[in-house]
Amino acid sequence: MILVLGLAAAACSGSDKILEIDGIAGWKRTGPVERYNAEGLYGHIDGGAEIVLQYGFRDLAVSEYAPAGAADGPASGKRVILEIYRMAAGEAAFGLYSTKLEGGEKGWPGIGADNWVGFGQANLVKGEFLVNVLAPECTEEEIGRFLAAVEPKIPGRGTVRPEGLDRLPREDLVPSSRRYVRGPLAATNESPFLEGDFWGFAGADHGPGGTRAYSGKYGAAPAVSKLIVVELGAEVRPGSIEDRILASFEEYLREVRRDGGTIEGRSGDGRWFVCRHTGSVAALVLGEPDRDAALARLEAALVRR
């Protein structure tokens, strides 16, 4: 998900100078920092405002940079857009950061906080801040060095990861693939098997009482599967979701059956999908080629606390 922001400002209260980032070697800020509150976020992000808000958004600062010594104006060469999202908490910042992770992303050497650098873009999450660098005309080397120069200027002491990520077994986990899922939009984007109000992702206005999930990818291409561990919110009644999960499996899969407390089915290409619910936790393994491996990973996730 690439966030593209217009530069028309929406007023935010206060005169926060913390995120006016200057002193980046080789670059100069070309204008004032544009600030956005929750109301101003709509219309300035290309279709992505709602998911940002569901994770717990506070405000956004946007700056533009040009190479030091370059002439002003759009025709003068390379530009870097720096977006700094201040979220409600460190876990919320990591959650929004994790929505972009596909697995295998490479961090920049020397940066302690979680980060990745790719073609035209980079991300970093530190404390309650998510940093997004957009620079389609720059090389990865230029972007990485820019991100490394910004990192010390961001408040915080590293990345705050939700404790629930520890529910994901480490064996065969694809590096940089763990996600924190909060709110119904992130849940729907994560998997069609997480669609539906019965999961409770909209509970308590996405606050402390709502459902949360943690996902990770396992294996190696082309046999990559996904594990999702769902911590059910306070509004989800025990025993109220099994029939709905079964109906979801029957909608998307074949050979669906219930075996004790486990619901399982197969896709058209023969991959296994399994789910089990115990107490306030449900786990799903999606797209595993081997049934025994799927059941073992399901069990490993449910016994972890």
Side-chain angles (χ1 to χ4, degrees):
M1 178 182 70
I2 294 179
L3 305 182
V4 180
L5 205 65
L7 294 179
C12 290
S13 60
S15 56
D16 188 353
K17 301 291 185 180
I18 296 176
L19 302 182
E20 294 184 0
I21 305 296
D22 291 304
I24 306 298
W27 297 89
K28 64 176 181 180
R29 183 157 55 90
T30 59
V33 177
E34 308 286 359
R35 302 189 183 278
Y36 300 84
N37 58 19
E39 290 74 21
L41 196 62
Y42 287 99
H44 298 290
I45 295 179
D46 186 13
E50 190 62 34
I51 195 169
V52 176
L53 295 172
Q54 288 183 7
Y55 270 100
F57 171 78
R58 291 176 60 191
D59 53 60
L60 167 65
V62 183
S63 306
E64 182 174 353
Y65 300 81
D72 293 333
S76 61
K78 297 177 179 180
R79 288 291 185 273
V80 172
I81 304 297
L82 176 65
E83 303 176 342
I84 304 176
Y85 293 80
R86 191 199 317 256
M87 305 299 287
E91 292 87 349
F94 177 87
L96 184 58
Y97 168 84
S98 72
T99 62
K100 297 185 181 183
L101 298 178
E102 296 295 337
E105 286 86 355
K106 302 297 183 182
W108 193 255
I111 299 179
D114 286 11
N115 71 97
W116 60 264
V117 177
F119 178 76
Q121 189 177 9
N123 259 205
L124 177 145
V125 58
K126 183 179 180 184
E128 63 188 15
F129 297 96
L130 168 67
V131 176
N132 188 36
V133 176
L134 293 169
E137 297 176 344
C138 294
T139 66
E140 289 189 17
E141 177 76 16
E142 290 171 321
I143 295 172
R145 291 184 179 278
F146 187 95
L147 188 69
V150 168
E151 188 272 337
K153 300 176 182 292
I154 302 298
R157 294 190 177 183
T159 301
V160 181
R161 303 178 192 89
E163 292 183 0
L165 291 176
D166 291 336
R167 291 184 177 274
L168 302 173
R170 293 286 184 168
E171 185 177 2
D172 295 329
L173 178 66
V174 176
S176 187
S177 70
R178 295 189 300 172
R179 291 178 174 176
Y180 169 43
V181 181
R182 173 176 173 176
L185 184 55
T188 298
N189 289 347
E190 187 64 32
S191 170
F193 292 99
L194 294 186
E195 292 180 355
D197 293 341
F198 68 93
W199 283 111
F201 282 101
D205 295 324
H206 329 309
T211 294
R212 302 285 187 270
Y214 313 91
S215 77
K217 293 181 178 179
Y218 289 80
V224 175
S225 62
K226 179 181 287 189
L227 168 65
I228 304 174
V229 179
V230 184
E231 295 177 344
L232 299 170
E235 296 179 1
V236 180
R237 293 183 294 105
S240 66
I241 67 172
E242 285 84 354
D243 289 342
R244 301 291 296 273
I245 295 171
L246 180 64
S248 177
F249 270 46
E250 289 174 337
E251 179 180 357
Y252 292 105
L253 304 171
R254 58 183 65 176
E255 302 176 32
V256 174
R257 69 190 185 104
R258 196 180 251 160
D259 183 6
T262 301
I263 299 170
E264 61 181 54
R266 301 179 75 183
S267 61
D269 61 358
R271 297 197 177 208
W272 288 92
F273 292 68
V274 297
C275 176
R276 191 184 306 156
H277 166 229
T278 174
S280 62
V281 178
L284 305 92
V285 175
L286 310 177
E288 171 59 49
D290 182 82
R291 179 176 180 269
D292 289 341
L295 293 173
R297 188 166 298 127
L298 194 73
E299 182 66 25
L302 288 172
V303 300
R304 296 175 74 90
R305 292 292 185 268

